[in-house]
Amino acid sequence: MLNYLKSLEKLLYKDIIEFGDRKFLLYLTIRETPKIDADILKQYWNCDTVLKKDNLYYFCNEIKEIDYEEIRNDPPTTPN
């Protein structure tokens, strides 16, 4: 199931950026210029994070890691 989700994720989205132990879903990459206000574009694209490297802005949303417990629906067992 996990491999299927990873494959689906790659089909639906362009890139996943890994930054330390955090992952981000990339929506837009643009070159830094004085005309661009990153905060306005961040709101416009509804992104929660803007990363910057080599004069490029990376507009993305953080992929939250969740804690979960698998719930199984096994048939009840009855003692003999």
Side-chain angles (χ1 to χ4, degrees), residues 5-62:
L5 291 175
K6 287 182 180 181
S7 298
L8 183 61
E9 179 181 75
K10 288 184 180 189
L11 287 174
L12 296 175
Y13 301 108
K14 183 179 176 185
D15 285 312
I16 303 292
I17 297 174
E18 292 190 36
F19 185 71
D21 61 345
R22 298 165 62 193
K23 291 184 181 182
F24 299 91
L25 183 62
L26 179 64
Y27 286 100
L28 176 70
T29 303
I30 57 173
R31 203 163 279 294
E32 177 187 19
T33 68
K35 296 178 184 179
I36 293 176
D37 184 345
D39 289 327
I40 291 173
L41 286 178
K42 180 179 166 183
Q43 291 175 358
Y44 179 79
W45 285 95
N46 197 25
C47 295
D48 62 17
T49 305
V50 179
L51 303 172
K52 182 180 165 187
K53 181 180 178 186
D54 299 330
N55 294 327
L56 291 174
Y57 287 121
Y58 299 87
F59 293 86
C60 32
N61 282 323
E62 184 172 4

